[in-house]
Amino acid sequence: MLRFWEKRIKTGIVTENLEFDKELEEIKKQIKDKIKKHFAGSLAIRMVDSGSCNACEAECNALSNPYYDLERLGIHFVASPRHADVMFLSGVMTMNMYHHAIDCYNQMPSPKWVIAIGDCVKDLGIFEKTYAIKGNDLKIDYFIPGCPPNPKDIIKGLLEFLKTLE
């Protein structure tokens, strides 16, 4: 047991990345300011999976953990499109999900925006020529690349999207 604590004290904390944390805090501060300016302090996001492998959804779920904690910035994931300002769209648009995604978009109050998350939405990836793929007809206002994009990329993309609103 003593060897463990000796090693622990010599090694120190290895899970912290101070440069990453400083950059993330600056991005969070900018996002909070933009949300306060454009959305009266609260941004509601409706996540729509139009046929993905769920990797993008897993990364978006990480945004709610204590490290990223987007709730503190005024960003909320909502269950109803009627409460949403922005739709996060992930995955290729399958025939089964096409009408649901369109319904979700139509139920959102104006003004409304669609942010595509992941490479599948843009170029359909390996699914391009399969029979179950409908393709996307929604107007994409902003695109966050990656397969899947990590939480930091999603936060940066959200900040860039908010900058386009000015």
Side-chain angles (χ1 to χ4, degrees):
M1 185 70 161
L2 290 175
R3 280 186 283 163
F4 168 77
W5 285 109
E6 286 175 8
K7 183 178 178 184
R8 172 73 173 87
I9 291 169
K10 287 179 185 176
T11 305
I13 298 173
V14 294
T15 57
E16 290 182 353
N17 184 343
L18 297 178
E19 292 175 21
F20 179 79
D21 290 345
K22 286 178 185 175
E23 182 184 3
L24 189 61
E25 286 305 315
E26 180 59 34
I27 292 170
K28 286 180 178 181
K29 182 179 180 290
Q30 291 178 27
I31 285 178
K32 192 169 188 174
D33 293 341
K34 301 280 183 203
I35 289 174
K36 192 178 289 185
K37 180 179 178 183
H38 296 292
F39 295 97
S42 178
L43 175 67
I45 299 173
R46 172 69 171 128
M47 183 78 192
V48 176
D49 173 3
S50 63
S52 73
C53 67
N54 289 337
C56 294
E57 288 77 17
E59 298 298 326
C60 285
N61 285 342
L63 296 174
S64 297
N65 71 26
Y67 186 73
Y68 295 103
D69 197 13
L70 288 190
E71 291 276 333
R72 189 185 63 192
L73 305 177
I75 300 172
H76 309 282
F77 286 90
V78 295
S80 173
R82 294 189 171 131
H83 301 150
D85 302 308
V86 173
M87 178 196 297
F88 272 7
L89 184 67
S90 67
V92 297
M93 187 70 73
T94 62
M95 296 288 232
N96 292 340
M97 285 303 297
Y98 177 77
H99 297 292
H100 299 290
I102 298 296
D103 286 345
C104 178
Y105 181 78
N106 291 335
Q107 290 178 21
M108 290 172 59
S110 294
K112 52 190 167 187
W113 297 274
V114 177
I115 298 176
I117 296 181
D119 294 338
C120 290
V121 179
K122 189 171 186 177
D123 61 12
L124 303 180
I126 62 171
F127 306 105
E128 184 176 12
K129 298 190 188 292
T130 58
Y131 68 93
I133 304 305
K134 171 80 171 154
N136 183 21
D137 292 339
L138 291 173
K139 177 185 160 274
I140 303 296
D141 297 297
Y142 193 79
F143 172 68
I144 300 173
C147 185
N150 62 41
K152 184 181 174 188
D153 291 339
I154 296 171
I155 292 173
K156 281 183 173 180
L158 195 54
L159 176 61
E160 293 302 316
F161 163 72
L162 292 170
K163 286 180 180 178
T164 63
L165 297 179
E166 296 180 349

